[in-house]
Amino acid sequence: MEQSSSSRNETNLHRFDSYCKKILKNEAIDCYREIQKHRQREVVLMSYYLDMSDTEIARHLNLRQSTIHYHRTSSLKTLKQYLEAKADEEM
């Protein structure tokens, strides 16, 4: 009986470990996405409100210019899709 109890405890510990790893992985993914959203917001604001070039923004955020370009264009594409969907809803 003692082995089955020990085996059951090991199984429960393994399940708990797996569950914790899954939760932590999801939390890390959520955190990464929030950082990306924040960075994209910064890029758009710097570009349009501060009239900074991609090169200036890249230097300020310590990122590559191609990354800044990607963040800016993908953010604007997403914004355009959102505004078009909102306009269609209002009609």
Side-chain angles (χ1 to χ4, degrees):
M1 257 202 179
E2 197 145 331
Q3 285 184 349
S4 66
S5 176
S6 173
S7 177
R8 203 171 333 136
N9 284 339
E10 285 182 31
T11 301
N12 287 338
L13 283 174
H14 178 69
R15 286 180 183 165
F16 182 72
D17 286 346
S18 294
Y19 175 76
C20 288
K21 286 177 185 177
K22 187 181 288 186
I23 295 296
L24 289 174
K25 181 179 177 182
N26 288 336
E27 286 294 318
I29 290 169
D30 290 345
C31 183
Y32 176 76
R33 287 181 180 154
E34 282 300 314
I35 290 169
Q36 288 298 97
K37 285 180 188 178
H38 181 73
R39 184 172 289 150
Q40 288 176 344
R41 195 174 312 127
E42 280 183 323
V43 168
V44 170
L45 292 174
M46 288 177 172
S47 178
Y48 289 94
Y49 290 106
L50 300 178
D51 201 28
M52 294 173 74
S53 68
D54 286 355
T55 305
E56 292 169 325
I57 297 169
R59 200 174 306 123
H60 181 74
L61 296 177
N62 198 27
L63 297 170
R64 292 184 176 269
Q65 183 178 348
S66 59
T67 302
I68 300 302
H69 177 76
Y70 174 79
H71 283 317
R72 186 173 44 77
T73 56
S74 65
S75 296
L76 293 176
K77 181 180 176 184
T78 302
L79 181 60
K80 179 181 177 185
Q81 291 169 348
Y82 173 78
L83 292 174
E84 287 174 345
K86 280 296 232 185
D88 290 342
E89 287 176 7
E90 292 178 2
M91 291 184 159

